[in-house]
Amino acid sequence: MMGMCTLHLPHSLSPLLFYRSCTDVLCCVLFIIVIFGYVALGTVAWIHGDPRKVIYPTDSSGQFCGQKGTANAKKTILFYFNILKCASPAVLINLQCPTTQMCVSNCPDRFATYTDMQLQYRFNKSHWEYYKQFCKPAQVLRDEDCPSMIVPSRPFLQRCFPDFITRNGTLTVANKTAFKDALDTARSVTELRDAANGITGILDAKQLGMKVVEDYANSWYWVVIGLIIALVVSLIFILLLRFTAGFLLWFIIIAVIVLVAYGIWHCYSEFTALRETPGADVTISDIGFQTDVHVYLQLSQTWLVFCESSIVLMLIFLRNRVRIAIALLKEGSKAISYITSALFYPVITFLLLVICISYWAVTAVFLASSGEAVYKVMSAQPNCKYTNLTCSPETFNSTNITKQCPGAQCLFAFYGGESAYHRYIFILQLSNLLVFLWLVNFTIALGQCTIAGAFASYYWAKRKPADIPPCPVFSSFTRAIRYHTGSLAFGSLILAFVQLIRIILEYLDHKLKGAHNVFARFLLCCLKCCFWCLERFIRFMNRNAYIMIAIYGKNFCTSAREAFYLLMRNVVRVAVLDKVTDFLLFLGKLLVAGSVGVVAFFFFTHKIPIIQEEVPVLNNYWVPLLTVVFGSYLIAHGFFSVYAMCVDTLFLCFCNGLLTVEGWTETPVDVFRSEAA
């Protein structure tokens, strides 16, 4: 071998055949316990929750509006006593507005307050009769039985919302931009809008969802055909990379150099023409520039020359690294041609992710809909010992409370509950999110370790394909589950904690958008940036650690440390290989999603004359179109993620199998061929 000294690991010493034992057992036990706890959490949420509260309007007594056989049979619309309270964060946690709610037949059509109605009762009883229909049905009305105010509203998704109208860019309700509440305090219409947004953000999806489901029902057949086409195109692209990787990469590099050179020539031509133009030394500070036009063109030309020189110099010094990357890409395509079943493993990952996402979403909805109407004893007497105690409206009048505390009432307080379960719903939601992130990351880690083990068996096979195991993907999967569940769970848990912190930071940033504390915003921005970088680094290290686990069967920390040192010793090759692979696969994803998306667009917009009659009638053609484009991208991403994992695995196997010294110039394919000989 010219210009190098190498030491090859004999194929008879394949690390895949080494004795393996269970790694990170404690984390494996913890992971199993958490899964059982997660199932218990979902069961408890299912017992206490009622998703119908999210879909159908429910009054403060827990009765659904319009429910047959009840007093609300003809009252199909939900009315909020104080809609301004719907801007509370409790709306997002409990999916309920923390104010008394009542089923009504019609929404109010005027501004009025309870105090005004009492004053006008003697002079105009018709106003009071109108107002009274929004009060609780009772023989003797108390102040708490009626809303403190009503505003002009209209029914939307079976709820009464303020009737907003924009006039000349100004938001109004009944031609008013301000109104007075029950305390005679001036309130803005924008406060009503903010309160209504707290509910409509949850409810708008219902109407849109019905149309989406209808469009899917009419177009699912063609969507499936489009996704099958994307699958075939992705497979063909990967197999062709074996023959076209070098051509594509060098073509793109040369094209970039030519484009930059053209930019230099264009700027030079403009600069030359401008110098011959009278008045070229006139400044253009009027439009914000503080320099002359020819100076600006000189700067542009200088930067383009600098970029061109940098690209050429990088190619000169990194030409061997680029050749290595191309050789690995070709070898990866060759490996996939032997282990084609690995391309379809992402289907298993996708199904597991669907299960995780579905379970998390259902559990979150059941937890959020677990809130119940809580009633408290309210008394005007300061010495009443029952004040603020929980009560039941159905049995309150039969208790001794009214005798010991005359005038005491059992009034609606809030939505939630006073049991240990209801007090810790927020903590349970965070736990639900954390376990969800853990399971998602574990599913991805299991897929990466499985694919890495399968392609490692290809690398260490002396005679290809004779020495490749009959079912390399299944064998690698069973090894990962049997021996390395704890290690995969360990790495996934670290990443899940970082992701949870990032989600919390995003929530805080959303809440502080209107704040004027510059230091808090700056600190939050720095934290978001740091944790974003940390997540990217952990993802990269976990990926390579899983490859080392699949090859050598060591625990997570040891594998991560060895992968880190190995990558640092080959940092230039890693950088070149990573960027070249990412760029080529990104082009492949764009090619697959773009080509299939263009065909789908012409199809669903009736622009293909041959099959116009086959196009289904849709509410929105973008529903199946986006599904095809996004689905095609996911399919391409699934195929290409296997290809990228294959290349990374071959690279780490190669680095582990060689003792490299300075001056090394041969490509991995040369070594593969020499070893095979």
Side-chain angles (χ1 to χ4, degrees):
M1 296 183 183
M2 299 175 57
M4 65 173 293
C5 175
T6 60
L7 175 64
H8 303 283
L9 281 178
H11 287 285
S12 58
L13 298 179
S14 171
L16 297 175
L17 302 178
F18 292 168
Y19 172 77
R20 290 177 183 254
S21 60
C22 295
T23 55
D24 296 305
V25 178
L26 290 179
C27 196
C28 178
V29 173
L30 176 62
F31 184 62
I32 295 174
I33 293 174
V34 168
I35 290 178
F36 280 110
Y38 198 35
V39 174
L41 174 62
T43 304
V44 173
W46 182 78
I47 293 173
H48 290 85
D50 189 356
R52 291 183 299 174
K53 294 179 182 178
V54 184
I55 303 174
Y56 302 104
T58 311
D59 64 11
S60 296
S61 300
Q63 300 294 326
F64 295 106
C65 297
Q67 187 175 9
K68 297 181 180 180
T70 64
N72 295 332
K74 296 183 179 180
K75 300 177 180 180
T76 59
I77 307 172
L78 189 67
F79 171 73
Y80 299 93
F81 267 37
N82 187 357
I83 196 172
L84 293 175
K85 291 186 178 181
C86 296
S88 169
V91 175
L92 296 177
I93 298 174
N94 297 319
L95 298 184
Q96 292 284 357
C97 184
T99 184
T100 304
Q101 303 172 26
M102 188 181 70
C103 298
V104 296
S105 302
N106 299 291
C107 296
D109 59 5
R110 66 194 70 172
F111 281 108
T113 63
Y114 182 64
T115 305
D116 292 340
M117 291 300 101
Q118 287 180 319
L119 295 176
Q120 296 180 15
Y121 175 72
R122 296 180 180 179
F123 307 103
N124 193 338
K125 292 185 178 181
S126 62
H127 288 289
W128 168 247
E129 291 297 329
Y130 177 81
Y131 196 92
K132 191 170 65 174
Q133 66 176 314
F134 302 106
C135 300
K136 293 180 180 179
Q139 294 181 352
V140 179
L141 285 177
R142 298 165 296 188
D143 293 347
E144 294 79 7
D145 293 332
C146 295
S148 58
M149 65 177 180
I150 59 175
V151 298
S153 307
R154 57 184 176 86
F156 177 70
L157 296 179
Q158 295 181 269
R159 274 91 170 169
C160 288
F161 289 105
D163 190 10
F164 297 111
I165 299 176
T166 303
R167 298 183 182 277
N168 298 325
T170 303
L171 188 67
T172 64
V173 174
N175 296 325
K176 292 185 178 181
T177 58
F179 62 97
K180 291 186 177 181
D181 60 12
L183 300 177
D184 203 34
T185 303
R187 310 296 289 264
S188 172
V189 170
T190 55
E191 295 182 61
L192 289 176
R193 180 195 60 190
D194 295 338
N197 287 340
I199 310 172
T200 55
I202 300 173
L203 303 175
D204 284 347
K206 178 183 176 182
Q207 189 175 12
L208 179 62
M210 294 176 63
K211 292 183 178 180
V212 170
V213 171
E214 183 180 352
D215 287 341
Y216 278 133
N218 295 331
S219 61
W220 69 269
Y221 177 78
W222 297 103
V223 171
V224 171
I225 292 178
L227 297 181
I228 292 176
I229 294 175
L231 187 148
V232 174
V233 173
S234 301
L235 182 60
I236 293 175
F237 183 85
I238 288 180
L239 296 178
L240 287 179
L241 277 180
R242 179 176 177 180
F243 309 101
T244 60
F247 170 76
L248 285 176
L249 183 60
W250 287 116
F251 174 79
I252 293 169
I253 291 175
I254 295 174
V256 170
I257 294 176
V258 171
L259 287 176
V260 175
Y262 172 77
I264 296 174
W265 174 81
H266 180 74
C267 286
Y268 179 77
S269 300
E270 291 287 335
F271 173 66
T272 303
L274 187 62
R275 290 183 61 180
E276 299 174 357
T277 303
D281 56 345
V282 177
T283 63
I284 52 173
S285 57
D286 294 338
I287 60 174
F289 292 93
Q290 300 299 324
T291 185
D292 296 342
V293 177
H294 67 278
V295 175
Y296 173 74
L297 290 175
Q298 278 183 323
L299 289 174
S300 301
Q301 185 180 2
T302 302
W303 278 108
L304 288 173
V305 171
F306 175 76
C307 292
E308 180 86 358
S309 303
S310 300
I311 294 174
V312 173
L313 288 175
M314 288 176 61
L315 286 176
I316 293 175
F317 288 103
L318 298 178
R319 63 187 185 280
N320 289 330
R321 271 65 176 180
V322 173
R323 290 175 58 217
I324 295 172
I326 295 174
L328 278 169
L329 289 172
K330 293 180 178 179
E331 195 67 21
S333 182
K334 181 180 177 182
I336 287 178
S337 65
Y338 287 128
I339 311 177
T340 312
S341 58
L343 289 174
F344 299 95
Y345 182 85
V347 176
I348 299 176
T349 301
F350 175 76
L351 294 177
L352 292 176
L353 290 178
V354 168
I355 294 174
C356 293
I357 294 173
S358 302
Y359 189 85
W360 165 77
V362 171
T363 303
V365 171
F366 272 93
L367 283 173
S369 60
S370 299
E372 299 174 351
V374 177
Y375 295 85
K376 297 283 188 178
V377 176
M378 300 296 176
S379 176
Q381 297 183 6
N383 297 326
C384 181
K385 63 180 181 179
Y386 297 103
T387 302
N388 291 328
L389 294 181
T390 306
C391 59
S392 174
E394 291 79 10
T395 61
F396 181 75
N397 293 328
S398 61
T399 62
N400 295 327
I401 299 178
T402 54
K403 297 179 181 179
Q404 298 183 23
C405 301
Q409 304 173 19
C410 184
L411 301 177
F412 170 81
F414 56 87
Y415 274 99
E418 295 190 327
S419 65
Y421 168 76
H422 289 97
R423 285 197 300 269
Y424 293 102
I425 281 184
F426 182 72
I427 302 299
L428 294 177
Q429 288 282 28
L430 283 180
S431 302
N432 181 34
L433 179 60
L434 176 61
V435 179
F436 163 71
L437 294 174
W438 193 2
L439 290 175
V440 167
N441 289 320
F442 176 82
T443 301
I444 297 174
L446 178 61
Q448 292 175 341
C449 190
T450 299
I451 298 301
F455 287 111
S457 65
Y458 163 83
Y459 176 84
W460 297 108
K462 183 177 182 180
R463 295 170 300 173
K464 302 175 178 62
D467 291 342
I468 300 177
C471 300
V473 177
F474 180 76
S475 301
S476 179
F477 179 80
T478 54
R479 282 197 304 269
I481 290 292
R482 180 179 178 182
Y483 298 110
H484 309 306
T485 297
S487 298
L488 301 181
F490 189 13
S492 303
L493 180 61
I494 297 173
L495 185 58
F497 273 119
V498 175
Q499 291 173 337
L500 180 63
I501 294 174
R502 285 197 63 204
I503 292 174
I504 294 174
L505 291 176
E506 289 292 342
Y507 175 78
L508 294 177
D509 182 57
H510 177 73
K511 289 298 181 182
L512 291 176
K513 279 187 177 179
H516 300 287
N517 192 331
V518 179
F519 176 75
R521 295 295 304 278
F522 172 76
L523 179 62
L524 194 59
C525 183
C526 292
L527 289 174
K528 287 172 58 180
C529 179
C530 291
F531 277 96
W532 180 85
C533 295
L534 180 61
E535 182 186 358
R536 298 281 294 182
F537 175 75
I538 292 177
R539 282 182 181 274
F540 177 76
M541 288 308 306
N542 280 7
R543 178 186 179 90
N544 291 281
Y546 299 148
I547 295 176
M548 299 297 286
I549 290 172
I551 299 173
Y552 294 101
K554 299 180 181 180
N555 61 47
F556 176 79
C557 292
T558 302
S559 300
R561 183 179 65 251
E562 292 181 355
F564 178 77
Y565 289 147
L566 186 63
L567 294 175
M568 288 300 99
R569 288 195 298 268
N570 300 273
V571 62
V572 178
R573 298 189 187 104
V574 171
V576 174
L577 176 66
D578 186 60
K579 296 307 175 185
V580 168
T581 305
D582 288 346
F583 186 69
L584 282 181
L585 297 186
F586 176 72
L587 290 179
K589 294 174 187 178
L590 290 183
L591 174 66
V592 174
S595 59
V596 177
V598 168
V599 174
F601 173 78
F602 284 114
F603 174 78
F604 288 115
T605 54
H606 302 267
K607 294 184 178 179
I608 302 180
I610 303 177
I611 51 176
Q612 279 190 354
E613 298 180 356
E614 302 293 335
V615 181
V617 179
L618 305 171
N619 295 306
N620 297 292
Y621 71 86
W622 55 263
V623 172
L625 176 61
L626 290 181
T627 303
V628 171
V629 173
F630 186 67
S632 301
Y633 185 85
L634 287 181
I635 290 174
H637 178 74
F639 277 102
F640 296 161
S641 64
V642 173
Y643 183 76
M645 200 70 190
C646 172
V647 173
D648 291 344
T649 302
L650 294 179
F651 179 71
L652 284 182
C653 288
F654 179 76
C655 291
N656 272 295
L658 293 176
L659 180 62
T660 310
V661 297
E662 294 297 325
W664 176 73
T665 57
E666 290 196 13
T667 67
V669 172
D670 298 328
V671 179
F672 292 148
R673 290 173 178 171
S674 64
E675 289 179 344

